[in-house]
Amino acid sequence: MDVTSWDLDAIPEEEELKEGRHVMEYHDAEVIGNDNGWQAIKVTFKIKDSGNFVGCTFTMQANNPKAVEIGKGSFNALVKAAGLTSMKDTDELKGKFISAEVGFNDNGYPEIKDNFGKTWQAVEKTKPSSKPKVEEEEESSGIVDDEIPF
């Protein structure tokens, strides 16, 4: 099969992801669970200016009330960092940027270091730079500074 019409040579190389704080944009979310009744919202983010993706899982239902408390608290912190005061659908996060710490799990995959919801931070919007004030040229008196006798 000829694939040259798809310009595959132009595929950008993925930058090596480093641990630390990154700005990221919401990509998608899904509900995941198991046969024991555990359910969570898994949110995936695309790291800004990168081809890398990273996810975070928020426990919403489980036999462990503390895990649910932590999951809901962290999810609420994410919502707040995204600039929302409430949410009915994860699609409300579309186009939202947040900042979070990224690390690597035991298998070497990137993950958000949730730290019980303390990682989520709002991203300050950069203000457009104001145009420098252009000073009007003074009318020339015809005298050049070098010609002043003192």
Side-chain angles (χ1 to χ4, degrees):
M1 170 192 329
D2 180 15
V3 296
T4 57
S5 64
W6 289 304
D7 194 24
L8 296 178
D9 291 337
I11 297 173
E13 288 190 34
E14 194 172 284
E15 291 183 30
E16 182 180 343
L17 184 62
K18 295 187 170 84
E19 284 196 10
R21 183 157 294 279
H22 291 273
V23 173
M24 55 195 75
E25 181 179 14
Y26 169 84
H27 183 262
D28 66 10
E30 65 180 316
V31 175
I32 59 173
N34 65 19
D35 294 337
N36 296 331
W38 173 80
Q39 286 192 327
I41 299 172
K42 180 180 178 184
V43 180
T44 304
F45 300 91
K46 182 179 185 294
I47 297 179
K48 186 177 178 185
D49 301 326
S50 162
N52 294 292
F53 290 85
V54 63
C56 190
T57 302
F58 305 91
T59 298
M60 295 289 138
Q61 184 175 320
N63 294 332
N64 180 344
K66 187 66 176 171
V68 173
E69 178 185 336
I70 292 168
K72 288 182 177 182
S74 182
F75 189 78
N76 286 335
L78 162 63
V79 170
K80 184 178 178 184
L84 302 171
T85 55
S86 65
M87 182 188 310
K88 294 186 188 256
D89 192 308
T90 56
D91 283 346
E92 294 175 47
L93 289 170
K94 284 184 179 176
K96 303 289 185 186
F97 287 87
I98 54 89
S99 170
E101 288 286 331
V102 174
F104 293 90
N105 65 19
D106 294 338
N107 295 323
Y109 293 104
E111 65 182 3
I112 292 176
K113 293 182 177 181
D114 184 74
N115 194 19
F116 304 104
K118 294 176 184 165
T119 192
W120 307 110
Q121 292 181 4
V123 175
E124 292 183 24
K125 293 183 179 177
T126 56
K127 296 178 183 174
S129 60
S130 59
K131 293 182 181 177
K133 184 178 178 182
V134 178
E135 295 184 23
E136 294 180 22
E137 290 185 31
E138 294 179 21
E139 288 186 32
S140 176
S141 63
I143 300 175
V144 179
D145 286 344
D146 293 353
E147 296 175 356
I148 298 176
F150 44 89

